[in-house]
Amino acid sequence: MKRILVLNSILMMLLWVFDAAAQDTLLPQLVLDTLAPAAASTTIAPSSDSLVVDLSKIKFSNDGLTEEVKYAARDSMWFDVINKQVHLYGEASVNYTSLDIKAGYILLDYAKNEVTASMFPDSAGRLIGEPVFKDKDQSFEANKLRYNFKSKKGIIYEARTKQEDLYVLGEKAKFIGAPDSDTSGRNTIYNYDALITTCNADHPHFGVRTKKLKVIPDKLVVTGFSNVELAGIPTPLVLPFGFYPITKTRKAGLIIPQDFNFSDAEGLGLQDFGWYQPINEHMDAKLLLRAFVNGSWGAAVTTNYNYKYKSSGNVLLRYNRRVQENDKAEKQYFPSFALQISHRQDQAAHPTRKISGSVNIETNRDQNRNQNDFASVYRNQLNSNFTLNKVFPGKPYQFNLAFTHSQNTQTRKMNITLPEATFTLQRIYPFKRKNGVGKEQWYEKVSLTYNSQMRNSFNDVLDTLLFTAQTLRNARSGIQHRASTDFNMKLAKYINITPNISYEENWYPYIVSREFDPTVTLKVDSVFQTLPNSEKIFVGLEVDSSGSKWGRDTLIRKYGFYQYRNYNAGVSASTSIFGTVQFKKGWLKGIRHKISPSASIGFGPDYSGNTRFFRQVETSSRPGFSNKRQYSIFDEGIYGKPSASARSMVLSYSLLNVLEIKHFSKRDTTGRGKKTKIFDNLNFSGNYNFSADSLRWSTVGTNGVFRFFKGLTTLNWRLTFDPYYRNERGNRVNSYNINNGGGLLRLDQFGINVNTAFSVNQIRGMIENRGEKDKAKPGGGGASNKPPDDLLGWLDRFNFSHYITYERQYISGTNRDTFLIGQHNLSVRGDIPVSAKWTVNLSNISYDFKSKSFVYPDLGITRDLHCWQMSLSWQPTRGTYFFTINAKPGTFQFLKVPYRQNNFDGQGGF
């Protein structure tokens, strides 16, 4: 921008000097109104061709502007001295304080302190240079505008402005700038015959037409009586008034329901209405409600927080109470509850303490019951893990506090551990010298570890019985202390020998006692809980005193302080053997085999004769039968109980194998060849029990993982070999298999899992030899909706997965075996961009080969309508669907035409 203020002033003064008619007047108002006060002391140095002017004697008008006006133009500028105007042509601009105006033509009127902007015809006669008005964060586009610098008011014709996601188009708008006394600096705009929309097209596809509209930037858009227009055609949808928040900051207020819902089973209802409340600059809360006329309702409270460089997360608490009538017109109630917590601590928050984790708990299958998508319906497992970790700099110990939870949504049983506190002492060498001078002695290699843990658990709790007194009474608690010591030494330079001793002590707040009552008869029945939807779930066994005449034994907890100790001593040996073969010619350059054998022997105590830990109880008064059985007073101990077997001495062994080859590769630029592992950590393991009276050899187990096609296919296999013979009834007998006409080892169990997962884009990348950097390019897995150019391109976003398990099992009661397919299914997920606007969505297409049926297909179609969108989702298994045409998410997302059928209305089946 050119600054020519001083030059313009000098020109005006020269004209004044040679104009006799101007002898008794002041300088033209043009000069006075454009000079900044600081310029009053400016003088022009004398020369032979100039006049000396002292600007300090110039009188300034009270109506003059207080700041400098800057203006410029690309084509030309014309100064109209008599009318005190400046005409700017071609990419003209005017800047005054925070005000910035650009247009094809601008008229700057100093007499009125006004600026007028409009478009200007180019050489072809086309109007170009649409006026753009900008004041701080407020901006307009218009056909023509006028603005007064002093009053800070303006008239804008055919105004177009954007407020957050709203586009406001007005036939005529009045702009009122914020007065100097207003510290917020917030302007106000009044529009006449305006259209408010979220469509950014030159001719919006829809909007709300109103005769009167007021815009308070960064706060609110207020409309009077208005109606909805579609493609410029008024509709019968009218609004008596409208309030549209456009604030960039968070404000408390009502959340207007976005959707009306109608269900055959629940009637008319409202969804997602409530209240939003900012708590502070780091935290907010939102309450959402849903209600139906039949009595179904739900509430959800969500809290989000974000403390920079400290932590962030969210908390969701949800309750739903669905009501439905059965065939007898009786109301059935389906209450469900959900709690979700996510907390992430920033790495810079604290150097020694870290709190993080997630919680995901549901009751009565809340997600499954209230959502219809495949992920919600077939999510069978819920898990939670929330931990506090504390380390002590310079110290060899740390402390952990944890909450864990696992839940099966099909059986609705959960396991909860709260709390689990662990103190761990890392491996230390208590006898090692601090200065390290001299040869290391054997006792300096002695190490010590220690671990202490306190745990309280609730196991196999039905989710609806979680908050009951019975669940609290059945809690299992205890404290465990474990310490071990060992030291390492070499035998013949290559064999590592490690003697070790371990000690364990368990503390319990209770023991169990069983007592026999011959007067109470016994009958055991299975107990099922019937849900409102007539589904039955196994709860446990019920004892009925009217079923038998032989009595029963009862279990009683006795509370106090109880403990038992356990110890083990042993020695282990390990080494590694390497074998390498190299080839000078051919594709194969070498083979490397690593074998790591290890063996250990351990000794344990004999508690079998301890009458303090093991007791006898009568089980029946029926004559002629064995009426006693042994039990341990620690049967319900969370850390287990003492072993009832005699003193143990067990030799364990393992053989770990790693086989890899080196071969020629075209991608290898070093000439050394590429290494490929044939199998990694192939392990054979078993044991020999010296204390057992028979069947001393255990089975020999092995397993491994093979990966094919660059990891797209994973094969997990497991084998179990048995040295003993199996008789005709399928029982393992104390006779070696080799002595009964078989081999040294008999194949006992065999299983294979093959899992293949890939996308079509991955396959194309492998064929085309694409790298990681190319995956985001078109045809490389990007999210572009551009229609594909080839057949495979239509399936680029498809993900295929195939899973099969193959097992060898013995038929019960026989020596015959059979091979069975445990699981076998194929699933497809993805979407097909039929065109730039149409997309077919396959959330899930799964086929179970064992049941020969599809598993919960979840299908959909979406259509991009520029500022609107159409979508259809259908779940034929439940008979649920949802169809909607709606404005895209934003201020007008409440404009929608929904049509749905939920799982309470659906009949199921195809």
Side-chain angles (χ1 to χ4, degrees), residues 723-741:
Y724 293 104
Y725 176 70
R726 182 184 290 269
N727 62 18
E728 292 77 8
R729 294 184 179 181
N731 297 323
R732 192 171 181 242
V733 297
N734 191 32
S735 176
Y736 292 117
N737 188 62
I738 194 173
N739 296 334
N740 290 271

Side-chain angles (χ1 to χ4, degrees), residues 30 78-87 108-112:
L30 172 63
W78 170 43
F79 298 90
D80 187 346
V81 179
I82 297 176
N83 294 319
K84 302 175 184 178
Q85 295 176 342
V86 178
H87 300 264
L108 196 59
D109 193 328
Y110 283 95
K112 298 179 181 180

Side-chain angles (χ1 to χ4, degrees), residues 552-799:
R552 67 173 183 181
D553 68 286
T554 58
L555 186 146
I556 303 173
R557 276 192 180 185
K558 294 183 178 180
Y559 290 90
F561 178 74
Y562 304 93
Q563 57 185 321
Y564 84 87
R565 301 170 182 83
N566 194 10
Y567 59 88
N568 284 278
V571 60
S572 63
S574 63
T575 187
S576 295
I577 303 172
F578 297 88
T580 303
V581 178
Q582 295 183 350
F583 303 95
K584 296 182 179 180
K585 296 181 180 180
W587 174 82
L588 185 63
K589 294 181 175 294
I591 301 175
R592 186 174 185 264
H593 186 194
K594 177 184 176 183
I595 304 175
S596 300
S598 64
S600 63
I601 187 170
F603 307 88
D606 181 4
Y607 288 115
S608 58
N610 192 320
T611 58
R612 195 165 62 90
F613 293 161
F614 297 97
R615 299 175 184 177
Q616 301 286 329
V617 62
E618 295 279 351
T619 58
S620 174
S621 59
R622 186 177 182 179
F625 289 86
S626 176
N627 300 328
K628 289 187 178 183
R629 72 179 181 89
Q630 181 176 274
Y631 74 95
S632 172
I633 62 174
F634 297 110
D635 274 344
E636 294 194 353
I638 192 171
Y639 294 109
K641 59 185 179 181
S643 174
S645 60
R647 185 182 305 276
S648 64
M649 185 173 67
V650 179
L651 172 66
S652 301
Y653 60 88
S654 67
L655 193 66
L656 187 65
N657 296 265
V658 177
L659 179 65
E660 61 181 1
I661 64 173
K662 182 184 290 187
H663 58 88
F664 172 77
S665 175
K666 293 181 179 180
R667 298 183 182 181
D668 180 33
T669 58
T670 63
R672 299 177 181 177
K674 180 181 178 181
K675 293 182 179 180
T676 301
K677 288 186 177 181
I678 303 302
F679 51 77
D680 188 10
N681 294 332
L682 174 61
N683 190 32
F684 297 88
S685 60
N687 64 72
Y688 183 84
N689 190 348
F690 292 95
S691 304
D693 56 359
S694 62
L695 302 174
R696 293 184 173 181
W697 288 101
S698 72
T699 57
V700 180
T702 181
N703 59 77
V705 178
F706 291 134
R707 293 179 174 85
F708 306 98
F709 313 115
K710 296 186 177 181
L712 299 183
T713 298
T714 302
L715 186 149
N716 294 271
W717 56 274
R718 57 193 180 280
L719 292 171
T720 301
F721 299 94
D722 195 340
Y724 293 104
Y725 176 70
R726 182 184 290 269
N727 62 18
E728 292 77 8
R729 294 184 179 181
N731 297 323
R732 192 171 181 242
V733 297
N734 191 32
S735 176
Y736 292 117
N737 188 62
I738 194 173
N739 296 334
N740 290 271
L744 179 63
L745 296 175
R746 174 181 53 84
L747 178 62
D748 187 56
Q749 295 180 3
F750 170 72
I752 292 178
N753 300 342
V754 181
N755 186 20
T756 302
F758 63 89
S759 67
V760 174
N761 182 58
Q762 283 180 294
I763 300 299
R764 295 184 66 183
M766 294 173 60
I767 297 174
E768 299 170 6
N769 196 21
R770 283 205 305 259
E772 293 291 331
K773 296 182 180 180
D774 300 325
K775 290 184 178 180
K777 297 180 181 179
S784 173
N785 283 329
K786 182 181 178 180
D789 299 327
D790 56 353
L791 178 61
L792 285 179
W794 290 80
L795 306 176
D796 245 6
R797 304 179 195 173
F798 264 51
N799 293 280

Side-chain angles (χ1 to χ4, degrees), residues 138-188:
Q138 184 67 43
S139 63
F140 291 95
E141 292 181 0
N143 288 346
K144 184 179 179 181
L145 65 85
R146 290 171 54 201
Y147 180 79
N148 188 283
F149 294 109
K150 293 295 292 183
S151 64
K152 295 186 178 180
K153 296 180 180 179
I155 300 295
I156 304 172
Y157 301 92
E158 301 294 332
R160 294 177 296 278
T161 183
K162 184 179 180 182
Q163 305 289 338
E164 293 301 309
D165 66 330
L166 292 178
Y167 294 90
V168 181
L169 291 76
E171 179 181 339
K172 185 178 180 181
K174 184 177 181 180
F175 177 85
I176 301 177
D180 297 334
S181 59
D182 188 353
T183 57
S184 66
R186 186 173 288 153
N187 305 318
T188 305

Side-chain angles (χ1 to χ4, degrees), residues 309-599:
Y309 303 123
K310 290 185 178 180
S311 62
S312 62
N314 56 76
V315 179
L316 170 64
L317 185 63
R318 183 175 63 234
Y319 178 81
N320 286 293
R321 188 174 186 266
R322 306 293 291 265
V323 181
Q324 187 179 16
E325 290 187 355
N326 59 16
D327 297 336
K328 299 180 181 180
E330 298 173 341
K331 285 192 174 182
Q332 297 176 319
Y333 300 92
F334 299 82
S336 59
F337 165 84
L339 173 64
Q340 296 177 6
I341 301 175
S342 177
H343 178 81
R344 299 168 296 276
Q345 179 175 309
D346 193 279
Q347 294 183 353
H350 200 281
T352 62
R353 185 181 66 246
K354 183 177 181 181
I355 303 175
S356 63
S358 62
V359 177
N360 192 0
I361 298 177
E362 290 182 6
T363 64
N364 206 8
R365 293 186 288 185
D366 179 81
Q367 187 89 350
N368 177 291
R369 195 175 300 281
N370 296 285
Q371 302 294 333
N372 295 314
D373 61 285
F374 173 79
S376 298
V377 174
Y378 271 80
R379 185 177 58 173
N380 298 328
Q381 194 72 24
L382 300 177
N383 296 284
S384 304
N385 189 11
F386 208 92
T387 61
L388 180 150
N389 178 266
K390 173 66 177 178
V391 297
F392 302 88
K395 306 296 182 181
Y397 46 80
Q398 64 181 23
F399 175 77
N400 292 276
L401 186 64
F403 159 77
T404 59
H405 150 264
S406 64
Q407 179 179 355
N408 188 303
T409 59
Q410 299 301 313
T411 63
R412 295 176 50 199
K413 289 187 177 182
M414 60 175 66
N415 298 316
I416 297 177
T417 300
L418 177 68
E420 183 178 5
T422 306
F423 176 82
T424 303
L425 175 66
Q426 300 172 2
R427 186 177 298 274
I428 62 173
Y429 297 88
F431 305 112
K432 198 173 188 66
R433 289 170 291 181
K434 295 182 179 181
N435 53 23
V437 178
K439 184 179 179 181
E440 185 180 36
Q441 301 297 321
W442 67 268
Y443 55 82
E444 293 186 74
K445 300 179 182 179
V446 175
S447 65
L448 175 67
T449 61
Y450 171 77
N451 177 276
S452 179
Q453 185 181 81
M454 180 189 72
R455 185 189 301 172
N456 181 74
S457 295
F458 308 90
N459 298 326
D460 293 333
V461 180
L462 194 65
D463 55 15
T464 53
L465 303 177
L466 178 60
F467 304 103
T468 61
Q470 183 63 36
T471 299
L472 295 177
R473 286 194 296 268
N474 292 337
R476 295 188 175 188
S477 307
I479 298 177
Q480 183 183 70
H481 306 274
R482 304 184 68 179
S484 64
T485 180
D486 60 29
F487 78 95
N488 185 273
M489 60 182 179
K490 293 284 188 179
L491 178 64
K493 294 184 180 181
Y494 302 107
I495 302 176
N496 296 312
I497 304 295
T498 306
N500 61 83
I501 300 174
S502 62
Y503 174 81
E504 175 185 310
E505 183 169 329
N506 299 296
W507 297 349
Y508 293 126
Y510 57 83
I511 58 173
V512 296
S513 175
R514 294 184 178 272
E515 299 178 0
F516 179 73
D517 188 350
T519 62
V520 180
T521 57
L522 175 67
K523 180 181 178 181
V524 179
D525 290 326
S526 298
V527 179
F528 296 87
Q529 181 183 10
T530 302
L531 300 179
N533 59 354
S534 301
E535 179 183 358
K536 292 185 177 181
I537 294 181
F538 176 75
V539 177
L541 298 177
E542 180 182 49
V543 177
D544 186 355
S545 60
S546 63
S548 173
K549 62 181 181 179
W550 309 117
R552 67 173 183 181
D553 68 286
T554 58
L555 186 146
I556 303 173
R557 276 192 180 185
K558 294 183 178 180
Y559 290 90
F561 178 74
Y562 304 93
Q563 57 185 321
Y564 84 87
R565 301 170 182 83
N566 194 10
Y567 59 88
N568 284 278
V571 60
S572 63
S574 63
T575 187
S576 295
I577 303 172
F578 297 88
T580 303
V581 178
Q582 295 183 350
F583 303 95
K584 296 182 179 180
K585 296 181 180 180
W587 174 82
L588 185 63
K589 294 181 175 294
I591 301 175
R592 186 174 185 264
H593 186 194
K594 177 184 176 183
I595 304 175
S596 300
S598 64

